[in-house]
Amino acid sequence: MKIAFAPLLIISLLSPQLHASDIDKDTATRFINSFYQAIQKHDLKAVGNMIDNKATIKVLWTQADPPQSFTISKADYLQQLKATWHFATNESYEIKNIKVSFVDNVTTVSLQETENRTLFGKKAGQQNELQIALGGDTKSPRIISIQNKTKLW
């Protein structure tokens, strides 16, 4: 009996590693660029399809005293995007310093993002340091979590 379980144990231990490697660095980078193109185009359906339904978005607002953190769902995140698109003009999103790594067998993309817009007639923006975890595989990666450290102006 013990011998029969050994191969299953080995396979189960290796499965997450094989699954994580399905999303390589080039695929992850293309996916993130496509995600931000969908945001820039205000394509809520495309953005929604790129985020897993159970994804969590954690935000740390560094300017608050003390800094505040909160977690929102995919639905809340999409609602925030929709509201921003409705009320803002002259939007721009710039991403840079994209780095892909494998953290705890999960493909993780780190990047810096700058957002600028005019909101209710005033210039506004934010600087974000993001850690975006991807699940799925090369054919259909999805965002499973976002951790964001943000500074507003």
Side-chain angles (χ1 to χ4, degrees), residues 36-54:
Y36 278 97
Q37 286 173 0
I39 289 173
Q40 186 74 43
K41 292 177 183 177
H42 296 187
D43 188 343
L44 196 64
K45 184 176 181 180
V47 172
N49 287 337
M50 298 174 94
I51 302 173
D52 189 80
N53 288 334
K54 295 180 181 178

Side-chain angles (χ1 to χ4, degrees), residues 100-123:
V100 180
S101 59
F102 301 98
V103 178
D104 296 329
N105 296 320
V106 175
T107 303
T108 303
V109 182
S110 302
L111 61 102
Q112 294 175 329
E113 180 218 15
T114 304
E115 299 179 18
N116 290 292
R117 63 184 55 89
T118 302
L119 191 58
F120 302 115
K122 294 184 179 183
K123 290 190 184 266

